[in-house]
Amino acid sequence: MPGMDEHLGAGSLARLLRGWREGAGAGTSAQAALAARISALLADGRLAVGTRVPSERELATALDVGRGTVAAAYEELREGGYLVRRRGSGTWTSQPSAPVSRTDAAPAPLDGALHVGATGFAPFAPIGAMGAPPAQAWGREVIDLAHAAPWAPMEAMAEAGARALAELPMHLAGSGYDVLGLPALREAVAARLSAQGLRTTADEIMITAGAQHAHALVARALVRPGDRVLLEQPTYPGAIDLVRHTSARPVPVAMTEHDGTPGWDVEAIAAAMRASTPAVGYLVPDHQNPTGAVMSAETRAAVVAAAARHGVPLVVDDCLREMWLDAPTPPPLGAWSVGGGTPVITTGSLSKTVWGGLRIGWMRAPRTLLRRIAGARASDDISTPVLEQLVAVALFDRLDEIIAESRRVLVHRREHLRDALARALPEWRTPRPPGGFSLWIDLGVPRSSALVEAAARAGIHLAAGPRFGTGGAFEQYLRLPYTLSPDALDDAVARLAEAWDTLGAGAPTLTTVV
Ligand SMILES: Cc1ncc(COP(=O)(O)O)c(C=O)c1O
């Protein structure tokens, strides 16, 4: 994904726009179809805000359309606030001003489950926080299905917060700067990993501001511009973005599917390691995002063996590991790495088990490597906030209970969404993932980006399939979280069906979007 203040070449934008004309459906003008697709790329993050787009002439050549078409599309986007012209330095992507969010006012019920809010990409007021009615509904509410993340457990968070505040004074005499994190939290993480079968001591743990922060720190230490990074395909978009921001080159290895169950092709992974000697390999073995796949014990052993053979350090993202819904998964992949071999760095966080807003994560790495990474962090954010770490320590005491309650709710919602989709959109293939937060749906036709555009008009914020891959793959797929309340899921499915219908009949123009 092109990042802040980056220049996007016409060829690259044309690749991102692949299928823009067909996606729009009959009856939509070329300029509206082009503008709608560019706004959809911005909406789901494939195109970053703050990117300089190619000139009208360059893009027209790359897309093989008249310059007038691009000029008109850019004009529509400028009117909608998606593009701005900067004197002397071209045209840049921008964030349209968002409707006023009502999500900050209303308290969340204990069962609060909605991830809704102002997106800035659709002309709707957001549903009030966690399902409360909006204070002032001036249009249809926006349902945010772009994030697959849990609601916060209100009572446990409140209790942990109170405990943390009570304990804070004991830490005030110190500097508060500890690059590795509070010893009590490192102990708690190490104990939990050990209990899962990955023997860990606190001196192998660094606390970070979430798992993605841990990945960024690893990338900074181990990946140089031009290096290759092995990734599953599809994968977590944040990992793809990070590879690109590091100016490294992704080496995507396709996930497999047998009898509807997604998995990993160890031979393909080993072949990619041999052929391209990646600087690191990034894997999500438990409830992989977005497929929900779980790696078997045999595959874990084989992947670690292949990485050791080819000298490829592994980054194992265990963020979603504990969110199994049907049965526990095998021990963490790192447990198969014994003595010497290539380093296996395990990352995790409380974002999926408790709440993403806490921004508490960790990495487990061999001590020498951990010290090296910690050294580099000293010039970055220095250390993790003490108060949040104290909250996390308190939450660890209740983690089993919190996760058990989430599981109970999520199992129900997974089935609810699958049933609702089976009734309203029977042509979609909706798997039953063994854990995680979302369905990776096969739409049967490559219309994901077009659906995301149509859904935005119906007040649903979605991430299109290609957001989870490199090179425009997965246009036939859609990730749909089941984290919302049953009522909100029903509403979302009804709107999705409506959006899907409009695609067949021809998508309306962007003018109605902005
Ligand atoms: C696989 C995966 N890794 C990492 C993250 C980011 O986690 P954190 O909030 O702990 O940074 C996510 C969030 O969606 C994720 O799905």
Side-chain angles (χ1 to χ4, degrees):
M1 182 183 73
M4 289 297 283
D5 287 4
E6 282 187 33
H7 179 203
L8 181 65
S12 304
L13 183 54
R15 268 192 298 284
L16 283 171
L17 288 166
R18 203 176 292 153
W20 61 278
R21 233 197 254 265
E22 301 85 67
T28 307
S29 71
Q31 73 191 54
L34 182 56
R37 175 57 55 89
I38 291 173
S39 73
L41 291 173
L42 272 160
D44 71 14
R46 277 176 285 169
L47 185 55
V49 169
T51 303
R52 180 150 69 95
V53 295
S55 70
E56 291 163 3
R57 189 182 42 78
E58 286 167 337
L59 185 59
T61 306
L63 294 177
D64 198 18
V65 295
R67 182 173 171 179
T69 300
V70 178
Y74 275 16
E75 185 51 37
E76 272 197 54
L77 289 162
R78 265 192 296 272
E79 279 170 16
Y82 295 90
L83 291 181
V84 286
R85 199 179 266 141
R86 290 191 198 156
R87 198 179 290 274
S89 75
T91 299
W92 297 72
T93 57
S94 168
Q95 173 96 28
S97 48
V100 178
S101 170
R102 302 284 160 194
T103 55
D104 49 0
L110 293 187
D111 176 49
L114 290 179
H115 282 268
V116 289
T119 64
F121 293 101
F124 306 114
I127 289 176
M130 304 298 184
Q136 178 206 344
W138 52 273
R140 229 168 149 182
E141 305 103 339
V142 172
I143 301 178
D144 184 354
L145 290 175
H147 298 103
W151 55 95
M154 291 292 288
E155 185 273 327
M157 283 291 292
E159 195 220 43
R163 221 177 100 185
L165 272 178
E167 284 169 15
L168 186 64
M170 284 185 279
H171 296 265
L172 296 180
S175 72
Y177 291 123
D178 188 339
V179 69
L180 292 172
L182 285 186
L185 185 53
R186 296 167 70 202
E187 292 283 354
V189 173
R192 200 157 178 100
L193 292 180
S194 298
Q196 291 170 16
L198 178 59
R199 284 183 52 188
T200 304
T201 51
D203 59 354
E204 294 170 299
I205 298 292
M206 170 164 26
I207 305 301
T208 60
Q212 182 66 355
H213 180 214
H215 302 149
L217 290 170
V218 173
R220 191 165 157 185
L222 298 185
V223 183
R224 301 268 79 81
D227 280 354
R228 294 184 170 89
V229 175
L230 185 146
L231 299 168
E232 295 137 347
Q233 169 98 325
T235 191
Y236 167 53
I240 300 173
D241 293 347
L242 181 57
V243 171
R244 297 208 170 121
H245 279 285
T246 315
S247 300
R249 283 173 290 172
V251 178
V253 179
M255 300 282 291
T256 58
E257 195 187 296
H258 290 297
D259 300 329
T261 305
W264 286 258
D265 180 344
V266 181
E267 286 181 9
I269 291 175
M273 285 176 172
R274 189 174 48 246
S276 56
T277 51
V280 296
Y282 167 84
L283 298 167
V284 189
D286 288 295
H287 315 117
Q288 200 257 2
N289 186 0
T291 62
V294 171
M295 196 184 274
S296 70
E298 302 76 56
T299 303
R300 288 173 203 241
V303 166
V304 170
R309 237 182 3 262
H310 299 294
V312 178
L314 290 179
V315 177
V316 178
D317 182 344
D318 272 354
C319 244
L320 288 147
R321 175 177 166 72
E322 299 215 45
M323 296 319 297
W324 53 264
L325 298 183
D326 299 327
T329 61
L333 191 143
W336 274 267
S337 167
V338 278
T342 187
V344 174
I345 300 157
T346 303
T347 61
S349 79
L350 291 181
S351 294
K352 308 294 169 178
T353 48
V354 185
W355 186 48
L358 197 54
R359 306 313 304 143
I360 288 288
W362 51 84
M363 83 169 76
R364 175 198 186 275
R367 290 175 196 85
T368 321
L369 179 58
L370 196 73
R371 275 200 295 276
R372 201 174 121 205
I373 296 171
R377 186 182 177 180
S379 65
D380 189 356
D381 71 330
I382 306 180
S383 58
T384 315
V386 172
L387 189 59
E388 276 80 347
Q389 292 188 74
L390 290 172
V391 174
V393 173
L395 286 167
F396 261 90
D397 285 348
R398 292 182 62 180
L399 208 44
D400 288 338
E401 172 206 333
I402 294 167
I403 295 172
E405 175 56 14
S406 297
R407 258 185 215 131
R408 190 187 64 72
V409 175
L410 284 167
V411 165
H412 177 65
R413 290 178 183 184
R414 177 186 62 181
E415 299 315 313
H416 191 93
L417 179 57
R418 291 186 71 246
D419 290 349
L421 286 170
R423 282 192 302 272
L425 291 150
E427 66 272 36
W428 290 6
R429 200 159 63 88
T430 56
R432 176 186 278 112
F437 298 97
S438 46
L439 308 177
W440 182 238
I441 294 169
D442 182 349
L443 302 173
V445 286
R447 305 293 297 274
S448 191
S449 297
L451 176 61
V452 168
E453 290 162 32
R457 287 188 293 275
I460 301 192
H461 187 202
L462 291 167
R467 184 73 183 96
F468 300 85
T470 59
F474 307 114
E475 194 52 81
Q476 189 159 320
Y477 288 82
L478 180 72
R479 187 190 70 169
L480 215 51
Y482 41 81
T483 43
L484 307 192
S485 71
D487 281 353
L489 287 176
D490 287 342
D491 187 4
V493 170
R495 295 195 209 180
L496 270 177
E498 199 183 288
W500 190 243
D501 273 356
T502 66
L503 286 190
T509 67
L510 180 74
T511 324
T512 57
V513 179
V514 297

